[in-house]
Amino acid sequence: MFGAVLILAAAAVTVTVHAQPSPDVQKGIAKAIKNAKNGGKVTDFTAFVNPFIGTDNFGDVCPGASVPFGMVKVTTDNTGYAPAGYVADNTQFIQGVSPLHDSGTGSSLGSYGNFKIMPQFCPGGFNTCKTILSQRQRLRKNNTDFASPGYFAQTLDNDIKIEATATRRAALERFTFPEGTPFFSVDLGNDSPLSFGGGSLDFDPAAGRIKIGGRWRPSFGPSLFFYQAFACYDILDNGKQTLGEFGVWTADNFGMDAKALGQTHLNLSINLIGSSPYQSGALFSLAGNPSEVNIRVGVSFVSADQACQNAETEIGMSSFEEIQDLAVSQWNDKLSRIELDVARSAPNITEIFYSSYYRSFLTPNNATGEGSGAFAGTTSPYFDSLYCSWDTFRTWAPLLSLTSPVDYAEVVENYIDGWRKNGVIPECRSNQLPGWTQGGSDGTNILADFAVKYHAEAASLGVDLNEMFTALLSDGEENPPEWNTGGRQINVYKAHGFVPFAAFDATSTGRQTREGSRTLEYAMNDFGIRQVAQVLGHADEVTTYTNRSTWFKNVWDPTVKSDGFEGFMQKRFGNGTFKNLNPVDCSPLDTNSSRACSLTQDNQNGFYESSSWEYSFFAPQDMATLVDLMGGNETFVKRLDHFFNKGYYLAGNEPSFGTPSAYHYADHPAKSVQRGRQVLFENFDITAGGLPGNDDQAAMATFAAFHILGLFPIPSTTQFLIISPFVPSYTVHNPHLGVSTTVTVDGFDPASVKRNIPDGAAAYVANVTVNGVPSVTGRCFIDFFDTFKKGGNITITVTSNMDEADSCEGSLPDSLSTGGWASAR
């Protein structure tokens, strides 16, 4: 959970949800659902999306105007805790609207927010305008916040309305003034975290063009690094607007407010004495008192000239409505790839699903053609904001695999290109720069997930699997000199069979904490390498990495006890002895609210943002071994029940993602159904605070989406656990393969779609057929190649008899120790 970098202790947080966005958002969704229920054909899937879900309760979702995987996510920038720019809290002030944001990342200071533009009234002319953030900021007019895919709107408390729509690298902004002369300030130095490291601004009054560029620090990476970004504002609307007064300005929080009427250039360096950088930018008005103003902005990571070119190419002379229509079309292409039976589904489930599915396409940001630094001029796809593979390999990548292999291949090629350029597979890319590694090198599992599902199509999709495998072996065998921002501490891991505590490491540098969780993640990374070796027929590497995939057992201490249960994962010294710590530490029940649990040097817990109670259930590649270590099926089930009932479970934390469905591995799949219902309804809803915390670059979104579909993925494999869908049927389309797969729930009971399944409600899986034939894998899991790869029909028959359905009928999901994944499909 990347957002927890600002909450170093694991104490529970009580959050008050603030005022919700405009009621028109919900009214529009309700109207679209009513139309579907009345027999209308669904053609606009964007109508079911609520972009404001997750804009409160530390969800960090950006509701701004964007296209799928767009670099541009244009929204307002609010005061207070607002990593994504916008927050639903109507007590926070608006300081401008800007084109660059990330969604679902929890840096406390925010990410991007560069190149703000702020509309305002200046009754006394140029020199009376408010330029400094604290003086120009305004509250919103309540109940005016509105967004839909490709569109964002908000009205300030002075009745100036802001609207925006977007393309991949540009935005069109429309401002409506109730009266008077429109003035605008445009920022050079004010990004969200105020990390300006120098830059320039040039105002061409004849062309009505403002070029801006500079350097800023990343939001989740070393402060020694700087990224570059550029913008190009065209303010005359292709000759339809006339420039009035213009100039530039600089200011600070201590009385400096210097404006230069008629001046057109700023060139500012980093402020080496420290403190906040100067606030600075351009200031202008438009003549003739136009009530409606259109302003175009392009962005680039290469140059200001390229930012101008991006705006000209992607927007040009098009109207606001034309650009918005293009954005909606792109969103419908993505959202229509999973068609729920909206007419027979619960309205809140429809809204949660499509809002979640929408967010799965918000990130990462497709910055192809915008590579800088090591990626300057790369011919490969280039994606910014990979926050972080630790978050996204579990559910985000597998959901993408169901419908969108072309997009998936571009992301994968981007990972491989990261290895080409920097020598390591990217783990986290923050503002175009290497970000912090949280667990292992979890990009390996994203590559593996693609390879096992699309190895036959990989070459035609632009992915060289042999080169991928070379990159994976590099990750598994070569120790980078510095592994805080990429790669693994492989040398000591290989020497001991686990990541030891207090190890002597003479050849590499990194934060030697999180020894327990890093061992567990490293073993999962090795499983990913093993899977690709198997696809490519490399028998020796299959043997080596199968063995290393089981090293999670090496940090299991059978002597540790907690709440009456024996055996927990623990960090371990190089001599083999364990550093016994309380498994409750860093859990929601930890009474030490100041305990360090994240990336800080004083994290002595041995786990990243988790407790041993939580991470002890993490071994997706070999859950059968975990069941045995914990005492067998019945003890494992009791322990899982206790984990949830006592309050150790954290829905907003990725290591817990697999626990609601872990009952499958103890041959009690019906209990997974019960737990899945409970988890979704307790943690997800349709309000602004409707996420259990930071969306983590759509990790939460895709976790919720899978549960609604009644499936759960095993990363780096072709298997999906069958839980129980929340909807009567849905169809998954894979346009590249030209196949569609319809999942039908025979006996679907709407009464079962509740937190607690009522007695007599049919929810439990009795049997599964694929294209009319009983599933060869039974009723607990299906394989991608038997289903979504070939298309057809999956029928899940449900029953109200929990006891009858509470077994896998002899066919448990695969585990390495039971001979699972013995061959590639």
Side-chain angles (χ1 to χ4, degrees):
M1 187 170 59
F2 167 63
V5 294
L6 68 129
I7 304 173
L8 299 183
V13 178
T14 300
V15 178
T16 300
V17 177
H18 300 93
Q20 299 299 311
S22 169
D24 291 342
V25 175
Q26 290 294 348
K27 288 178 182 177
I29 294 170
K31 181 178 178 181
I33 291 173
K34 182 178 179 181
N35 178 65
K37 290 184 180 297
N38 288 335
K41 180 175 175 57
V42 176
T43 57
D44 183 9
F45 290 84
T46 69
F48 305 124
V49 174
N50 181 353
F52 290 107
I53 293 175
T55 58
D56 207 336
N57 192 24
F58 301 103
D60 305 333
V61 168
C62 178
S66 182
V67 296
F69 304 118
M71 265 178 64
V72 164
K73 294 172 180 59
V74 56
T75 187
T76 50
D77 293 290
N78 294 178
T79 55
Y81 175 81
Y86 173 96
V87 289
D89 182 354
N90 60 1
T91 68
Q92 296 299 330
F93 290 89
I94 296 161
Q95 296 186 324
V97 55
S98 63
L100 291 175
H101 297 92
D102 286 321
S103 183
T105 59
S107 170
S108 57
L109 295 177
S111 175
Y112 287 122
N114 319 62
F115 316 126
K116 294 177 182 62
I117 184 169
M118 183 66 175
Q120 59 182 291
F121 296 113
C122 306
F126 183 91
N127 285 316
T128 65
C129 288
K130 307 296 185 184
T131 54
I132 191 169
L133 293 174
S134 60
Q135 294 179 9
R136 78 189 195 197
Q137 63 191 22
R138 308 287 311 200
L139 291 170
R140 73 196 74 187
K141 190 173 183 178
N142 285 336
N143 299 317
T144 64
D145 298 5
F146 187 88
S148 60
Y151 176 79
F152 176 84
Q154 190 172 51
T155 300
L156 305 179
D157 63 358
N158 58 5
D159 287 327
I160 298 175
K161 183 177 182 180
I162 300 167
E163 298 173 273
T165 188
T167 63
R168 182 167 72 92
R169 297 175 294 179
L172 198 55
E173 299 164 349
R174 182 163 63 194
F175 303 88
T176 303
F177 287 74
E179 60 183 359
T181 300
F183 274 86
F184 296 87
S185 58
V186 178
D187 291 351
L188 164 61
N190 296 334
D191 64 326
S192 291
L194 297 178
S195 67
F196 183 57
S200 64
L201 179 151
D202 289 285
F203 197 143
D204 182 342
R209 173 167 283 183
I210 304 170
K211 294 181 181 179
I212 314 171
R215 304 194 315 150
W216 292 264
R217 287 192 173 94
S219 61
F220 191 61
S223 60
L224 294 174
F225 294 171
F226 284 89
Y227 71 89
Q228 65 180 25
F230 304 88
C232 176
Y233 275 95
D234 288 305
I235 62 177
L236 299 185
D237 193 17
N238 297 304
K240 300 172 189 173
Q241 295 164 179
T242 303
L243 184 63
E245 295 182 293
F246 64 89
V248 294
W249 58 274
T250 59
D252 64 20
N253 292 319
F254 305 99
M256 184 178 78
D257 183 8
K259 301 181 181 72
L261 181 64
Q263 296 295 308
T264 60
H265 181 66
L266 288 171
N267 187 12
L268 302 176
S269 70
I270 190 171
N271 189 351
L272 294 178
I273 202 170
S275 72
S276 297
Y278 286 148
Q279 297 183 39
S280 55
L283 180 64
F284 67 91
S285 67
L286 293 171
N289 294 353
S291 61
E292 185 176 287
V293 174
N294 290 301
I295 292 179
R296 186 180 72 187
V297 58
V299 295
S300 173
F301 296 147
V302 173
S303 68
D305 286 339
Q306 183 155 316
C308 296
Q309 182 180 356
N310 291 342
E312 292 164 357
T313 301
E314 297 182 9
I315 293 179
M317 304 283 287
S318 299
S319 69
F320 189 97
E321 288 73 20
E322 288 170 336
I323 296 301
Q324 184 181 353
D325 287 346
L326 286 171
V328 170
S329 176
Q330 291 179 62
W331 278 114
N332 272 316
D333 173 61
K334 302 298 186 189
L335 296 175
S336 63
R337 295 183 184 187
I338 300 182
E339 291 189 71
L340 299 191
D341 182 351
V342 176
R344 296 192 297 144
S345 299
N348 62 324
I349 296 300
T350 296
E351 185 173 342
I352 291 172
F353 177 81
Y354 279 110
S355 301
S356 299
Y357 193 39
Y358 161 77
R359 297 199 306 279
S360 78
F361 292 110
L362 271 184
T363 53
N365 308 335
N366 187 344
T368 300
E370 299 296 336
S372 60
F375 295 91
T378 183
T379 57
S380 292
Y382 177 68
F383 285 79
D384 179 37
S385 299
L386 304 173
Y387 284 92
C388 290
S389 304
W390 184 85
D391 299 299
T392 57
F393 84 88
R394 307 163 202 264
T395 54
W396 176 82
L399 186 62
L400 191 66
S401 76
L402 289 183
T403 66
S404 305
V406 174
D407 296 321
Y408 200 1
E410 289 184 351
V411 172
V412 165
E413 171 60 18
N414 159 76
Y415 272 91
I416 297 171
D417 197 44
W419 165 78
R420 290 188 200 110
K421 302 296 192 296
N422 290 327
V424 293
I425 296 170
E427 170 59 19
C428 193
R429 184 175 292 152
S430 161
N431 309 96
Q432 312 161 57
L433 297 166
W436 300 123
T437 295
Q438 296 168 276
S441 185
D442 298 318
T444 60
N445 297 101
I446 292 175
L447 301 188
D449 192 83
F450 174 84
V452 297
K453 292 170 180 168
Y454 288 105
H455 50 84
E457 297 81 12
S460 65
L461 288 167
V463 176
D464 183 336
L465 290 186
N466 291 311
E467 186 180 26
M468 175 196 287
F469 190 60
T470 301
L472 291 171
L473 284 181
S474 173
D475 178 86
E477 301 296 336
E478 299 174 13
N479 209 104
E482 201 280 344
W483 41 267
N484 282 314
T485 58
R488 297 190 270 167
Q489 194 183 14
I490 284 294
N491 53 353
V492 297
Y493 173 67
K494 289 173 63 178
H496 295 274
F498 57 91
V499 178
F501 171 58
F504 175 72
D505 186 348
T507 60
S508 70
T509 301
R511 179 146 287 170
Q512 296 203 40
T513 58
R514 304 154 288 142
E515 298 85 359
S517 60
R518 281 199 288 138
T519 297
L520 298 173
E521 300 280 347
Y522 283 16
M524 184 60 186
N525 301 158
D526 288 339
F527 175 68
I529 299 173
R530 180 254 188 211
Q531 293 290 86
V532 181
Q534 184 169 261
V535 164
L536 296 176
H538 298 307
D540 290 346
E541 284 82 3
V542 170
T543 299
T544 296
Y545 283 93
T546 297
N547 178 48
R548 280 172 50 172
S549 299
T550 68
W551 283 1
F552 67 91
K553 295 182 296 184
N554 296 341
V555 290
W556 177 264
D557 185 347
T559 69
V560 177
K561 298 179 181 180
S562 180
D563 296 355
F565 294 92
E566 296 183 8
F568 287 84
M569 301 294 178
Q570 293 279 282
K571 69 181 189 179
R572 193 174 185 182
F573 290 98
N575 64 8
T577 60
F578 286 94
K579 174 77 171 176
N580 294 135
L581 297 167
N582 187 346
V584 177
D585 290 353
C586 291
S587 77
L589 304 184
D590 189 350
T591 58
N592 182 354
S593 61
S594 62
R595 191 185 312 279
C597 301
S598 188
L599 284 175
T600 55
Q601 193 169 8
D602 56 344
N603 176 359
Q604 301 179 49
N605 177 48
F607 299 91
Y608 178 69
E609 294 187 349
S610 302
S611 65
S612 177
W613 256 105
E614 189 170 25
Y615 248 118
S616 291
F617 286 107
F618 180 76
Q621 71 276 30
D622 195 1
M623 289 296 291
T625 291
L626 280 188
V627 172
D628 290 342
L629 289 173
M630 291 184 183
N633 285 358
E634 297 311 309
T635 302
F636 183 83
V637 167
K638 289 178 182 178
R639 185 162 173 161
L640 265 179
D641 284 344
H642 182 79
F643 174 74
F644 285 100
N645 298 338
K646 187 70 179 287
Y648 292 122
Y649 174 70
L650 280 170
N653 204 23
E654 282 75 8
S656 276
F657 273 17
T659 48
S661 53
Y663 294 98
H664 275 58
Y665 294 94
D667 204 23
H668 285 282
K671 289 186 71 67
S672 294
V673 175
Q674 290 184 321
R675 198 63 75 182
R677 294 288 206 268
Q678 173 194 348
V679 165
L680 188 106
F681 281 109
E682 286 185 354
N683 295 282
F684 297 87
D685 62 40
I686 59 175
T687 68
L691 298 182
N694 179 17
D695 199 33
D696 281 332
Q697 199 119 24
M700 300 302 138
T702 48
F703 172 84
F706 266 122
H707 274 275
I708 289 171
L709 297 177
L711 303 172
F712 197 78
I714 311 304
S716 303
T717 79
T718 58
Q719 291 186 4
F720 296 85
L721 303 183
I722 301 171
I723 310 174
S724 180
F726 286 56
V727 295
S729 69
Y730 59 89
T731 299
V732 176
H733 302 287
N734 191 319
H736 182 76
L737 295 180
V739 300
S740 296
T741 307
T742 297
V743 177
T744 302
V745 182
D746 184 18
F748 177 77
D749 188 347
S752 74
V753 187
K754 292 182 172 63
R755 180 199 178 280
N756 297 313
I757 301 169
D759 291 341
Y764 309 104
V765 178
N767 61 70
V768 178
T769 62
V770 178
N771 293 322
V773 178
S775 172
V776 296
T777 53
R779 65 186 183 186
C780 276
F781 67 99
I782 54 175
D783 191 275
F784 181 74
F785 279 83
D786 299 330
T787 53
F788 300 107
K789 191 75 181 279
K790 66 169 56 174
N793 296 285
I794 303 169
T795 301
I796 300 173
T797 301
V798 293
T799 176
S800 61
N801 189 329
M802 179 180 176
D803 292 336
E804 179 186 279
D806 199 23
S807 78
C808 291
E809 296 185 318
S811 185
L812 293 177
D814 280 13
S815 287
L816 281 174
S817 60
T818 58
W821 298 297
S823 60
R825 294 297 303 266

